[in-house]
Amino acid sequence: MSINVEQAIIHAIIQDSDGQLSCRLRPQPLLNGEAVEAMLDELHQTYTTKAGKGFGHFGISGEDGEANPKFMEALTEYRDGQLGFVEFSGLAGKLLQEELSKYDFSQGGYLLLACYTHMTSDFLYVSLLNAKSSMTVLDDMELSQNTHLDLKDVQLAARIDLTEWQADEGSRKYISFIRGRAGRKVADFFLDFMGCVEGVNTKAQNKQLMNAVEDFVSSSELTKDEGQQCREKVFNYCTERCDVGADIEIKDLADELADSGMESFYDFAKGGDYELEDEFPGDKPTLRQLKKFSGTGGGVTLSFDGAHLGERVMYDPISDTIMIKGVPANLKDQLDRRLKGGQ
């Protein structure tokens, strides 16, 4: 196991036939240690590698006024030993029920709260899980319908880095959260119940990092191969950090590049107009643009490795055309068959 679970509990948010929500609280932590460890380990791994997460903190939103402080206050009392874990989780369950009751799209679910340690940091994982039905074949070959928690497609989840929260009062990224497919309004209620305000704009930071890398390559008069090597170095470093759930550190990245003879990236990135934080979370979809060009529009989708630009792929901005030398074999086969059919 990559984590050490300290406490975990599940409460049920139930919707009755009239659409009213109630919270059924479990009176004690989950007891099956092996099952809990396996579940949390799977959720931790899935969450850590989830792309497109947002980051925030407890605080005040400039547009929406003061964030609800009740969750933060209860969490503080738990960490200070004034509240037990069960009592803290029960308050959290009630807060979520109250927040959900404001919306007509809610159907309830299972609120999971778990405190665990990974590496040298303490985390609180908070998630609203859905239940799914499945069929099982019994020993006598009879079918039985069961209900299980859907751990593969979690859309409402957040993780609080308790160590960072208590060690760095100025941090704006100790809470991470999944940006659900259901839409911004649906995801917001989950942040509101915790009193979370979005802080670091991860996509913007990663985009600015890419801009800094491209400008650095241009201004350093690197050869094409050296420039591509620089992009590869940045991409590999950043994706490795993403894979283990660690932040991109500009100083650390600059040291990686300096080892390959590309000096002064730190001064270049921090001295320009990029407004880069010293540390920020990586965003894989944005970082892929360091290696690939891709785009979709007007019924055309095109993607190719950046190393091919100027060699196999020729772009003419004046005529707005791209010429590809060496058409991929499977595409060539489709095109040849279509031309023969047309003739």
Side-chain angles (χ1 to χ4, degrees):
M1 294 291 178
S2 65
I3 64 173
N4 178 37
V5 180
E6 298 175 3
Q7 300 267 28
I9 198 167
I10 290 178
H11 301 304
I13 309 294
I14 304 168
Q15 186 178 51
D16 63 22
S17 57
D18 296 326
Q20 298 299 309
L21 293 175
S22 61
C23 184
R24 182 158 62 89
L25 299 176
R26 179 180 168 85
Q28 58 186 347
L30 296 172
L31 302 178
N32 189 337
E34 187 174 333
V36 171
E37 290 271 356
M39 177 183 67
L40 265 299
D41 192 63
E42 178 180 345
L43 288 171
H44 169 78
Q45 297 295 339
T46 301
Y47 186 89
T48 298
T49 57
K50 189 85 170 180
K53 290 192 291 288
F55 292 82
H57 56 97
F58 296 126
I60 296 175
S61 168
E63 296 181 356
D64 300 326
E66 186 174 353
N68 189 341
K70 293 182 179 179
F71 184 93
M72 180 188 68
E73 291 170 353
L75 180 58
T76 300
E77 291 180 5
Y78 164 62
R79 294 288 285 176
D80 289 344
Q82 301 175 44
L83 273 182
F85 180 73
V86 173
E87 290 76 18
F88 157 66
S89 69
L91 288 171
K94 290 293 186 182
L95 286 173
L96 179 58
Q97 175 206 329
E98 292 171 5
E99 191 63 37
L100 279 170
S101 297
K102 300 176 184 178
Y103 301 91
D104 56 9
F105 54 72
S106 173
Q107 296 180 338
Y110 293 91
L111 175 63
L112 168 66
L113 295 103
C115 281
Y116 66 85
T117 302
H118 173 65
M119 304 294 281
T120 58
S121 294
D122 295 331
F123 293 97
L124 174 66
Y125 180 83
V126 186
S127 181
L128 186 63
L129 302 173
N130 293 320
K132 295 182 70 175
S133 295
S134 62
M135 302 300 293
T136 300
V137 179
L138 303 177
D139 291 341
D140 60 358
M141 299 304 170
E142 191 63 63
L143 291 177
S144 174
Q145 187 171 14
N146 296 319
T147 301
H148 68 274
L149 292 176
D150 185 4
L151 304 182
K152 297 295 184 183
D153 189 30
V154 178
Q155 292 299 314
L156 292 170
R159 187 170 67 185
I160 303 171
D161 187 328
L162 300 172
T163 301
E164 181 176 346
W165 171 45
Q166 296 186 310
D168 184 2
E169 294 182 357
S171 173
R172 298 186 297 127
K173 58 178 179 59
Y174 51 78
I175 303 177
S176 62
F177 54 91
I178 293 176
R179 297 185 184 276
R181 295 193 304 263
R184 184 68 179 158
K185 181 179 179 182
V186 178
D188 271 356
F189 81 81
F190 198 68
L191 301 183
D192 290 343
F193 114 84
M194 292 188 297
C196 174
V197 175
E198 190 163 3
V200 175
N201 188 326
T202 307
K203 283 187 177 294
Q205 285 287 296
N206 281 257
K207 183 65 176 176
Q208 286 294 76
L209 173 60
M210 288 201 311
N211 291 339
V213 171
E214 291 300 333
D215 292 346
F216 178 74
V217 168
S218 298
S219 64
S220 300
E221 298 181 352
L222 301 177
T223 66
K224 182 180 177 181
D225 288 343
E226 290 171 337
Q228 196 60 31
Q229 182 186 14
C230 178
R231 297 184 187 96
E232 290 276 351
K233 278 273 186 183
V234 174
F235 178 81
N236 291 337
Y237 167 83
C238 292
T239 51
E240 286 172 6
R241 302 292 285 180
C242 288
D243 288 341
V244 298
D247 287 346
I248 295 169
E249 299 180 22
I250 298 299
K251 183 66 171 66
D252 195 25
L253 173 59
D255 290 342
E256 289 272 334
L257 294 177
D259 289 341
S260 300
M262 302 170 194
E263 304 284 350
S264 71
F265 178 74
Y266 181 83
D267 293 336
F268 182 89
K270 297 295 288 185
D273 297 326
Y274 306 106
E275 298 182 355
L276 285 170
E277 304 277 351
D278 284 329
E279 301 179 17
F280 54 88
D283 181 64
K284 278 189 174 181
T286 304
L287 293 167
R288 286 192 195 101
Q289 297 174 40
L290 282 168
K291 292 194 68 175
K292 281 183 173 287
F293 291 99
S294 61
T296 300
V300 175
T301 297
L302 185 62
S303 176
F304 59 91
D305 289 343
H308 293 320
L309 184 64
E311 295 182 357
R312 286 185 60 191
V313 180
M314 310 300 293
Y315 170 54
D316 184 354
I318 297 176
S319 62
D320 193 27
T321 57
I322 287 179
M323 182 174 68
I324 301 174
K325 297 179 179 179
V327 178
N330 56 350
L331 177 57
K332 178 177 173 59
D333 180 59
Q334 296 174 59
L335 294 172
D336 288 345
R337 283 189 283 112
R338 175 60 63 89
L339 289 176
K340 289 177 181 177
Q343 292 174 351

